[in-house]
Amino acid sequence: MTEEQNQPGNRLPAEEGGVHAVGERRGMFGVQGSGDTSGYDGLRQPILFPGATPRPYGGWFDEVADVLETRADEAGLERAFDQVVVHRGEITFHVRREDLVAVAQLLRDDERLRFEFCAGVSGVHYPEDHGRELHAVYHLLSMTHNRRIRLEVSVPDADPHIPSLVAVYPTNDWHERETFDMFGIVFDGHPALTRILMPDDWPGHPQRKDYPLGGIPVEYKGGSIPPPDERRSYN
């Protein structure tokens, strides 16, 4: 295990794909542009990603990858996959956004794959992963073969558009709305992409790292409680 991998909070196993750093997390939450109210403002941790995994992946991972890559080639999607990562016993296919819908269709419909269920999409924000600041992660389940995989798509802050998968996996409807609401990822083709948690006129996207750790005053039984960033200071 390298010194970088051995940093507290980053106990990544030294797999063949290795790891690479994409930035540094500061404080408890990694927030930027406002004070850290947790008391851990001095905490510094590298942000490490597991690297691409070489073949063979092991077990049924190779079977799924073989079928998916063969079908993708037949469909003219030779460049659909940026990389494949096997980490902590799970496999993730990193897909180009322009090929996402076609790849999802193959995963759902091919009888050797049959990933019939998408459990939803999760957003992630890495401000220092330049050109790939916003990540969308899809969790797929094959009930036929009892297998789970992930798809991951990365897009820049300046162009946060990803095709909607609602037409392929209708369960993604509200999940895409929540990811849009919290992270600002725009799912093109969604039937009604509106906020689902915050009011329609709410400024910004609260789960992004550049969203201030502030808040609004709260009234409780006649008393007014200031927002978190005004309650106390550790500086």
Side-chain angles (χ1 to χ4, degrees), residues 173-174 176-181 190-198 200:
D173 189 338
W174 285 13
E176 289 184 1
R177 287 180 60 193
E178 182 177 1
T179 304
F180 163 69
D181 194 356
H190 188 283
L193 192 63
T194 58
R195 290 187 182 271
I196 194 170
L197 297 174
M198 309 305 290
D200 289 338

PDB file of all heavy atoms in Angstrom, residues 173-174 176-181 190-198 200:
ATOM      1  N   ASP A 173     -37.570   8.308 -12.774  1.00  0.00           N
ATOM      2  CA  ASP A 173     -38.280   9.583 -12.895  1.00  0.00           C
ATOM      3  C   ASP A 173     -37.973  10.516 -11.725  1.00  0.00           C
ATOM      4  O   ASP A 173     -37.382  11.587 -11.895  1.00  0.00           O
ATOM      5  CB  ASP A 173     -39.786   9.316 -13.001  1.00  0.00           C
ATOM      6  CG  ASP A 173     -40.591  10.560 -13.350  1.00  0.00           C
ATOM      7  OD1 ASP A 173     -40.098  11.684 -13.113  1.00  0.00           O
ATOM      8  OD2 ASP A 173     -41.716  10.415 -13.843  1.00  0.00           O
ATOM      9  N   TRP A 174     -38.353  10.131 -10.519  1.00  0.00           N
ATOM     10  CA  TRP A 174     -38.159  11.003  -9.364  1.00  0.00           C
ATOM     11  C   TRP A 174     -36.694  11.096  -8.967  1.00  0.00           C
ATOM     12  O   TRP A 174     -36.248  12.114  -8.419  1.00  0.00           O
ATOM     13  CB  TRP A 174     -39.002  10.523  -8.187  1.00  0.00           C
ATOM     14  CG  TRP A 174     -40.457  10.848  -8.345  1.00  0.00           C
ATOM     15  CD1 TRP A 174     -41.084  11.270  -9.491  1.00  0.00           C
ATOM     16  CD2 TRP A 174     -41.464  10.790  -7.341  1.00  0.00           C
ATOM     17  NE1 TRP A 174     -42.413  11.461  -9.255  1.00  0.00           N
ATOM     18  CE2 TRP A 174     -42.690  11.173  -7.944  1.00  0.00           C
ATOM     19  CE3 TRP A 174     -41.462  10.425  -5.996  1.00  0.00           C
ATOM     20  CZ2 TRP A 174     -43.890  11.220  -7.246  1.00  0.00           C
ATOM     21  CZ3 TRP A 174     -42.671  10.464  -5.295  1.00  0.00           C
ATOM     22  CH2 TRP A 174     -43.862  10.869  -5.912  1.00  0.00           C
ATOM     23  N   GLU A 176     -34.099  11.204 -10.995  1.00  0.00           N
ATOM     24  CA  GLU A 176     -33.475  12.227 -11.839  1.00  0.00           C
ATOM     25  C   GLU A 176     -33.902  13.620 -11.397  1.00  0.00           C
ATOM     26  O   GLU A 176     -33.088  14.555 -11.417  1.00  0.00           O
ATOM     27  CB  GLU A 176     -33.834  11.981 -13.310  1.00  0.00           C
ATOM     28  CG  GLU A 176     -33.142  10.759 -13.897  1.00  0.00           C
ATOM     29  CD  GLU A 176     -33.431  10.568 -15.377  1.00  0.00           C
ATOM     30  OE1 GLU A 176     -34.160  11.407 -15.962  1.00  0.00           O
ATOM     31  OE2 GLU A 176     -32.942   9.579 -15.959  1.00  0.00           O
ATOM     32  N   ARG A 177     -35.132  13.770 -10.993  1.00  0.00           N
ATOM     33  CA  ARG A 177     -35.577  15.081 -10.488  1.00  0.00           C
ATOM     34  C   ARG A 177     -34.811  15.468  -9.224  1.00  0.00           C
ATOM     35  O   ARG A 177     -34.416  16.629  -9.063  1.00  0.00           O
ATOM     36  CB  ARG A 177     -37.080  15.051 -10.200  1.00  0.00           C
ATOM     37  CG  ARG A 177     -37.953  15.041 -11.439  1.00  0.00           C
ATOM     38  CD  ARG A 177     -39.422  14.998 -11.065  1.00  0.00           C
ATOM     39  NE  ARG A 177     -39.808  16.144 -10.258  1.00  0.00           N
ATOM     40  CZ  ARG A 177     -40.962  16.232  -9.583  1.00  0.00           C
ATOM     41  NH1 ARG A 177     -41.827  15.229  -9.615  1.00  0.00           N
ATOM     42  NH2 ARG A 177     -41.238  17.306  -8.874  1.00  0.00           N
ATOM     43  N   GLU A 178     -34.590  14.506  -8.327  1.00  0.00           N
ATOM     44  CA  GLU A 178     -33.854  14.809  -7.098  1.00  0.00           C
ATOM     45  C   GLU A 178     -32.397  15.162  -7.399  1.00  0.00           C
ATOM     46  O   GLU A 178     -31.832  16.091  -6.810  1.00  0.00           O
ATOM     47  CB  GLU A 178     -33.906  13.624  -6.133  1.00  0.00           C
ATOM     48  CG  GLU A 178     -33.191  13.896  -4.822  1.00  0.00           C
ATOM     49  CD  GLU A 178     -33.308  12.757  -3.834  1.00  0.00           C
ATOM     50  OE1 GLU A 178     -33.940  11.731  -4.159  1.00  0.00           O
ATOM     51  OE2 GLU A 178     -32.768  12.880  -2.720  1.00  0.00           O
ATOM     52  N   THR A 179     -31.772  14.425  -8.328  1.00  0.00           N
ATOM     53  CA  THR A 179     -30.389  14.709  -8.686  1.00  0.00           C
ATOM     54  C   THR A 179     -30.274  16.072  -9.361  1.00  0.00           C
ATOM     55  O   THR A 179     -29.310  16.816  -9.134  1.00  0.00           O
ATOM     56  CB  THR A 179     -29.840  13.602  -9.596  1.00  0.00           C
ATOM     57  OG1 THR A 179     -29.998  12.334  -8.942  1.00  0.00           O
ATOM     58  CG2 THR A 179     -28.369  13.820  -9.906  1.00  0.00           C
ATOM     59  N   PHE A 180     -31.257  16.421 -10.183  1.00  0.00           N
ATOM     60  CA  PHE A 180     -31.297  17.768 -10.755  1.00  0.00           C
ATOM     61  C   PHE A 180     -31.444  18.815  -9.660  1.00  0.00           C
ATOM     62  O   PHE A 180     -30.745  19.846  -9.649  1.00  0.00           O
ATOM     63  CB  PHE A 180     -32.468  17.874 -11.734  1.00  0.00           C
ATOM     64  CG  PHE A 180     -32.864  19.287 -12.062  1.00  0.00           C
ATOM     65  CD1 PHE A 180     -32.040  20.108 -12.817  1.00  0.00           C
ATOM     66  CD2 PHE A 180     -34.065  19.815 -11.593  1.00  0.00           C
ATOM     67  CE1 PHE A 180     -32.402  21.418 -13.104  1.00  0.00           C
ATOM     68  CE2 PHE A 180     -34.441  21.113 -11.873  1.00  0.00           C
ATOM     69  CZ  PHE A 180     -33.602  21.924 -12.623  1.00  0.00           C
ATOM     70  N   ASP A 181     -32.339  18.580  -8.715  1.00  0.00           N
ATOM     71  CA  ASP A 181     -32.612  19.523  -7.642  1.00  0.00           C
ATOM     72  C   ASP A 181     -31.383  19.743  -6.766  1.00  0.00           C
ATOM     73  O   ASP A 181     -31.015  20.882  -6.447  1.00  0.00           O
ATOM     74  CB  ASP A 181     -33.774  18.983  -6.794  1.00  0.00           C
ATOM     75  CG  ASP A 181     -34.370  20.012  -5.863  1.00  0.00           C
ATOM     76  OD1 ASP A 181     -33.859  21.148  -5.796  1.00  0.00           O
ATOM     77  OD2 ASP A 181     -35.365  19.692  -5.198  1.00  0.00           O
ATOM     78  N   HIS A 190     -36.189  14.221 -19.984  1.00  0.00           N
ATOM     79  CA  HIS A 190     -37.056  13.867 -18.848  1.00  0.00           C
ATOM     80  C   HIS A 190     -38.440  14.463 -19.071  1.00  0.00           C
ATOM     81  O   HIS A 190     -38.575  15.597 -19.531  1.00  0.00           O
ATOM     82  CB  HIS A 190     -36.445  14.387 -17.553  1.00  0.00           C
ATOM     83  CG  HIS A 190     -37.157  13.922 -16.318  1.00  0.00           C
ATOM     84  ND1 HIS A 190     -38.361  14.458 -15.903  1.00  0.00           N
ATOM     85  CD2 HIS A 190     -36.842  12.964 -15.413  1.00  0.00           C
ATOM     86  CE1 HIS A 190     -38.739  13.860 -14.791  1.00  0.00           C
ATOM     87  NE2 HIS A 190     -37.838  12.947 -14.469  1.00  0.00           N
ATOM     88  N   PRO A 191     -39.500  13.713 -18.733  1.00  0.00           N
ATOM     89  CA  PRO A 191     -40.857  14.216 -19.020  1.00  0.00           C
ATOM     90  C   PRO A 191     -41.267  15.455 -18.238  1.00  0.00           C
ATOM     91  O   PRO A 191     -42.133  16.208 -18.693  1.00  0.00           O
ATOM     92  CB  PRO A 191     -41.761  13.018 -18.666  1.00  0.00           C
ATOM     93  CG  PRO A 191     -40.939  12.168 -17.760  1.00  0.00           C
ATOM     94  CD  PRO A 191     -39.517  12.343 -18.196  1.00  0.00           C
ATOM     95  N   ALA A 192     -40.684  15.703 -17.067  1.00  0.00           N
ATOM     96  CA  ALA A 192     -41.053  16.882 -16.271  1.00  0.00           C
ATOM     97  C   ALA A 192     -39.941  17.176 -15.273  1.00  0.00           C
ATOM     98  O   ALA A 192     -40.079  16.911 -14.081  1.00  0.00           O
ATOM     99  CB  ALA A 192     -42.375  16.660 -15.546  1.00  0.00           C
ATOM    100  N   LEU A 193     -38.832  17.716 -15.755  1.00  0.00           N
ATOM    101  CA  LEU A 193     -37.663  17.921 -14.900  1.00  0.00           C
ATOM    102  C   LEU A 193     -37.833  19.192 -14.076  1.00  0.00           C
ATOM    103  O   LEU A 193     -37.403  20.279 -14.459  1.00  0.00           O
ATOM    104  CB  LEU A 193     -36.393  17.995 -15.742  1.00  0.00           C
ATOM    105  CG  LEU A 193     -35.082  17.916 -14.954  1.00  0.00           C
ATOM    106  CD1 LEU A 193     -34.961  16.578 -14.239  1.00  0.00           C
ATOM    107  CD2 LEU A 193     -33.890  18.151 -15.875  1.00  0.00           C
ATOM    108  N   THR A 194     -38.467  19.042 -12.916  1.00  0.00           N
ATOM    109  CA  THR A 194     -38.655  20.145 -11.977  1.00  0.00           C
ATOM    110  C   THR A 194     -38.088  19.738 -10.618  1.00  0.00           C
ATOM    111  O   THR A 194     -37.844  18.560 -10.362  1.00  0.00           O
ATOM    112  CB  THR A 194     -40.143  20.497 -11.827  1.00  0.00           C
ATOM    113  OG1 THR A 194     -40.861  19.326 -11.391  1.00  0.00           O
ATOM    114  CG2 THR A 194     -40.725  20.979 -13.144  1.00  0.00           C
ATOM    115  N   ARG A 195     -37.885  20.707  -9.755  1.00  0.00           N
ATOM    116  CA  ARG A 195     -37.404  20.406  -8.403  1.00  0.00           C
ATOM    117  C   ARG A 195     -38.410  19.498  -7.685  1.00  0.00           C
ATOM    118  O   ARG A 195     -39.614  19.574  -7.911  1.00  0.00           O
ATOM    119  CB  ARG A 195     -37.203  21.693  -7.609  1.00  0.00           C
ATOM    120  CG  ARG A 195     -36.007  22.536  -8.097  1.00  0.00           C
ATOM    121  CD  ARG A 195     -35.769  23.690  -7.150  1.00  0.00           C
ATOM    122  NE  ARG A 195     -34.690  24.566  -7.566  1.00  0.00           N
ATOM    123  CZ  ARG A 195     -33.408  24.413  -7.232  1.00  0.00           C
ATOM    124  NH1 ARG A 195     -33.056  23.403  -6.461  1.00  0.00           N
ATOM    125  NH2 ARG A 195     -32.485  25.264  -7.648  1.00  0.00           N
ATOM    126  N   ILE A 196     -37.877  18.666  -6.786  1.00  0.00           N
ATOM    127  CA  ILE A 196     -38.741  17.720  -6.090  1.00  0.00           C
ATOM    128  C   ILE A 196     -38.689  17.894  -4.569  1.00  0.00           C
ATOM    129  O   ILE A 196     -39.604  17.499  -3.863  1.00  0.00           O
ATOM    130  CB  ILE A 196     -38.363  16.273  -6.469  1.00  0.00           C
ATOM    131  CG1 ILE A 196     -39.436  15.285  -6.035  1.00  0.00           C
ATOM    132  CG2 ILE A 196     -36.997  15.898  -5.912  1.00  0.00           C
ATOM    133  CD1 ILE A 196     -39.230  13.881  -6.588  1.00  0.00           C
ATOM    134  N   LEU A 197     -37.612  18.511  -4.064  1.00  0.00           N
ATOM    135  CA  LEU A 197     -37.469  18.734  -2.627  1.00  0.00           C
ATOM    136  C   LEU A 197     -37.513  20.216  -2.274  1.00  0.00           C
ATOM    137  O   LEU A 197     -38.181  20.608  -1.320  1.00  0.00           O
ATOM    138  CB  LEU A 197     -36.146  18.128  -2.127  1.00  0.00           C
ATOM    139  CG  LEU A 197     -36.008  16.610  -2.264  1.00  0.00           C
ATOM    140  CD1 LEU A 197     -34.600  16.169  -1.872  1.00  0.00           C
ATOM    141  CD2 LEU A 197     -37.026  15.900  -1.404  1.00  0.00           C
ATOM    142  N   MET A 198     -36.800  21.035  -3.042  1.00  0.00           N
ATOM    143  CA  MET A 198     -36.733  22.460  -2.760  1.00  0.00           C
ATOM    144  C   MET A 198     -37.822  23.205  -3.523  1.00  0.00           C
ATOM    145  O   MET A 198     -38.327  22.715  -4.545  1.00  0.00           O
ATOM    146  CB  MET A 198     -35.358  23.010  -3.148  1.00  0.00           C
ATOM    147  CG  MET A 198     -34.182  22.220  -2.580  1.00  0.00           C
ATOM    148  SD  MET A 198     -34.230  22.053  -0.778  1.00  0.00           S
ATOM    149  CE  MET A 198     -33.877  23.739  -0.290  1.00  0.00           C
ATOM    150  N   ASP A 200     -39.558  25.748  -6.144  1.00  0.00           N
ATOM    151  CA  ASP A 200     -39.171  25.982  -7.538  1.00  0.00           C
ATOM    152  C   ASP A 200     -38.227  27.166  -7.698  1.00  0.00           C
ATOM    153  O   ASP A 200     -37.395  27.183  -8.610  1.00  0.00           O
ATOM    154  CB  ASP A 200     -40.414  26.197  -8.401  1.00  0.00           C
ATOM    155  CG  ASP A 200     -41.207  24.918  -8.593  1.00  0.00           C
ATOM    156  OD1 ASP A 200     -40.611  23.828  -8.432  1.00  0.00           O
ATOM    157  OD2 ASP A 200     -42.415  25.000  -8.901  1.00  0.00           O
TER     158      ASP A 200
END
